[in-house]
Amino acid sequence: MDVTVKFLGGAGSVTGSKYLIDLGEFEFLVDCGLFQGRRELRERNWDKFPMPLEQLEAVIITHAHLDHVGYLPRLVKQGFKGPIYCTEASSELIKILLLDSGKLQEEEAEFARKKGYSRHDDPQPLYTVEDAEAVFPLLVPKPFDQAFEIHPKVKVTYFHAGHILGAAITKILIKGDSQEKRLVFSGDLGRFHDPLLFPPTLIPKADILWIESTYGDRIAPKVKPEEELGSAIRDTFDRGGLVIIPSFAVGRTQLVLYYLFKLMEKGKIPKVPIFLDSPMAIDATKLYLDFSTDHQLTAALEEDQHPFNHRQLRYFQKQEQSVSLNEYRGNAIIVSASGMATG
């Protein structure tokens, strides 16, 4: 059984993850990421896809970060019409992140047009919000720990990766005439002692393993974030300050909210208003309530007993609410995406 793998990204760079698996009679892609970072990398996003897209029959997604899904609108725009498999939570996160990405692409093109710094007379976005929306009907959500068939010879199973909500280690079983091959893609891996997400699943066997290695050259520091965060907040309040925490909308924000809730419950910081001032972070946080079996918290907790649903936590989704924080006086904590915090 011949299996050919082409690295279309995620090699020589930690972004743009795309792995083309060719079985001869069936070709599919594992991840479909956007190149990010340096200009020469970002310009690769404009390259034509290196195969006729009518020959590409499926895409398998490990998780919803843009360096793994951000090229999907471009793929669909060029003619891909096949299924895009992902976990159930990833399906909803993909929608949130692609819509935001499409909006940013449009805004960047408009800004370049106004300021005249583009090499092009009429700069265009890599893709638009409408292009992002064209991806949604192709998404095929699948549960964890249940094998599903994408071809008579190919079965896929998702296992918890502990990275972000919905992130999956992906096992692909390929059946030949006389043998089987187990391909395992780790995707991005989380830590084994995350307070929110399940730890990465231990996979007992693989014939070929693709493993995330972005942080492979370092050891994660053993820190006590709850203690450090509590100390910084108390010091700020003692000086009459207001706490502003810039935080990634997906994953990091939810971890911050968890620690803030625990610190208040233990009496280590006062029970003050917490303003979550980021529409994307709010949408991502609410998914933890929708997909309660995909993490270690339970949505069944009563109000005031859940880190994402208690009296101190206030979701600010409208611009006028955000602007009103400029006039706020008194002890409070504002959690926001870094761009919003800068504003």
Side-chain angles (χ1 to χ4, degrees), residues 103-343:
K103 181 183 176 186
L104 290 175
Q105 300 282 353
E106 290 180 0
E107 290 175 351
E108 186 176 333
E110 180 61 26
F111 188 74
R113 188 179 298 113
K114 284 182 178 179
K115 297 297 182 180
Y117 65 75
S118 174
R119 292 175 297 174
H120 306 282
D121 295 332
D122 184 23
Q124 296 295 313
L126 181 67
Y127 53 81
T128 65
V129 169
E130 187 177 348
D131 295 329
E133 291 172 336
V135 173
F136 302 168
L138 303 180
L139 295 172
V140 182
K142 293 292 183 180
F144 282 101
D145 302 314
Q146 294 182 27
F148 58 94
E149 193 175 86
I150 67 170
H151 180 269
K153 292 185 177 180
V154 183
K155 281 189 176 180
V156 179
T157 311
Y158 284 132
F159 302 95
H160 288 284
H163 176 55
I164 60 172
L165 187 69
I169 299 169
T170 304
K171 184 179 80 172
I172 302 170
L173 181 66
I174 299 175
K175 297 179 181 180
D177 295 331
S178 59
Q179 59 177 326
E180 296 181 340
K181 288 285 185 184
R182 292 178 179 85
L183 315 185
V184 174
F185 289 82
S186 75
D188 287 0
L189 295 171
R191 300 184 183 185
F192 281 92
H193 303 291
D194 188 282
L196 296 184
L197 299 174
F198 295 117
T201 304
L202 300 177
I203 307 297
K205 183 178 180 181
D207 295 301
I208 307 172
L209 172 65
W210 284 260
I211 190 162
E212 176 268 324
S213 59
T214 306
Y215 304 106
D217 60 347
R218 70 196 76 175
I219 297 173
K222 292 182 179 179
V223 296
K224 296 181 178 179
E226 194 174 322
E227 292 181 13
E228 293 185 21
L229 184 60
S231 176
I233 291 170
R234 290 192 299 271
D235 289 347
T236 304
F237 288 162
D238 288 344
R239 290 184 280 107
L242 184 144
V243 176
I244 299 177
I245 305 175
S247 185
F248 289 121
V250 179
R252 192 66 68 195
T253 288
Q254 292 75 38
L255 204 53
V256 168
L257 293 179
Y258 170 84
Y259 283 125
L260 291 175
F261 176 77
K262 289 297 181 184
L263 286 166
M264 288 183 180
E265 288 295 294
K266 294 175 182 177
K268 293 186 176 181
I269 61 173
K271 290 189 175 182
V272 301
I274 302 170
F275 300 103
L276 182 53
D277 184 31
S278 165
M280 188 197 294
I282 292 169
D283 290 341
T285 301
K286 289 179 178 178
L287 289 182
Y288 281 74
L289 303 175
D290 295 337
F291 295 96
S292 58
T293 60
D294 282 4
H295 55 81
Q296 299 191 74
L297 298 177
T298 170
L301 289 172
E302 295 179 7
E303 189 175 355
D304 276 352
Q305 293 183 326
H306 198 288
F308 306 150
N309 183 24
H310 59 94
R311 194 164 297 158
Q312 276 68 44
L313 181 58
R314 303 171 191 183
Y315 293 119
F316 272 21
Q317 207 151 12
K318 296 179 181 178
Q319 186 176 6
E320 56 268 26
Q321 292 176 311
S322 184
V323 170
S324 72
L325 292 175
N326 294 334
E327 308 303 322
Y328 191 88
R329 298 294 179 265
N331 290 344
I333 299 169
I334 300 172
V335 181
S336 180
S338 57
M340 295 282 284
T342 301

Side-chain angles (χ1 to χ4, degrees), residues 16-84:
S17 294
K18 300 181 199 72
Y19 311 104
L20 181 63
I21 314 297
D22 184 357
L23 308 183
E25 63 189 88
F26 184 70
E27 292 183 80
F28 62 95
L29 204 60
V30 176
D31 281 341
C32 190
L34 204 64
F35 285 105
Q36 298 171 306
R38 300 190 312 272
R39 180 174 179 174
E40 59 267 30
L41 281 174
R42 298 196 311 272
E43 287 180 345
R44 292 177 63 181
N45 293 317
W46 291 90
D47 295 344
K48 186 178 179 182
F49 197 75
M51 66 175 286
L53 282 170
E54 60 269 16
Q55 295 177 16
L56 183 66
E57 300 194 55
V59 178
I60 299 169
I61 297 298
T62 61
H63 70 284
H65 275 147
L66 288 179
D67 58 333
H68 291 258
V69 304
Y71 190 81
L72 283 171
R74 185 87 177 146
L75 193 78
V76 173
K77 192 173 183 178
Q78 292 177 78
F80 176 73
K81 295 182 173 63
I84 301 169

